[in-house]
Amino acid sequence: MPQMTSEDIVDVYETMAVITDQMLRAANDSDWDRLAELEQQCALHVRQLKENEPQPLAGPQRVKKIDAIRRMLAADRQIRDLTTPWMARLSALINNTSTERRVARAYGI
């Protein structure tokens, strides 16, 4: 695969920022399946950047990259705020179900 240009690199970061915004919308809608699909898409772009070992950017491209990263981080913070309570409820449910099974086994219920 040919080396990515500065514009290619910026495009990937901006695409990732768009995907992260879509992830935030999915989290707001409690659409966990969609959120997981979008996470996979974002991971593909991360892999693309890692495989091409992009060179440091300068000037306007660097500013665009930093802006995209800031947008992703802001959305990620909001996604975590939305998913943390959901994950806690899911964990409690799993633990509760596990406890119920142990009690049922212990007492032959």
Side-chain angles (χ1 to χ4, degrees):
M1 175 178 273
Q3 186 69 21
M4 294 174 73
T5 67
S6 296
E7 287 302 318
D8 293 336
I9 294 167
V10 170
D11 287 345
V12 171
Y13 276 99
E14 289 180 342
T15 298
M16 289 170 52
V18 169
I19 293 170
T20 307
D21 287 340
Q22 293 171 353
M23 290 168 61
L24 177 56
R25 281 194 295 282
N28 273 318
D29 295 341
S30 298
D31 188 349
W32 310 121
D33 291 333
R34 179 74 177 137
L35 178 62
E37 290 170 11
L38 291 165
E39 285 176 329
Q40 290 174 358
Q41 287 179 24
C42 200
L44 290 174
H45 291 290
V46 169
R47 201 167 317 134
Q48 179 184 12
L49 288 172
K50 285 182 179 180
E51 289 172 359
N52 288 288
E53 300 180 26
Q55 300 299 314
L57 301 175
Q61 283 92 10
R62 182 167 188 240
V63 172
K64 288 179 183 180
K65 174 185 169 183
I66 291 170
D67 179 59
I69 292 171
R70 284 187 177 142
R71 291 186 346 238
M72 286 186 276
L73 291 172
D76 183 64
R77 234 181 339 271
Q78 293 175 44
I79 292 166
R80 277 195 317 273
D81 290 345
L82 292 166
T83 58
T84 299
W86 179 81
M87 292 296 288
R89 285 191 304 274
L90 180 61
S91 179
L93 179 62
I94 290 169
N95 288 334
N96 187 28
T97 302
S98 178
T99 301
E100 287 176 10
R101 273 188 260 147
R102 281 186 295 214
V103 168
R105 270 192 304 244
Y107 293 99
I109 301 173

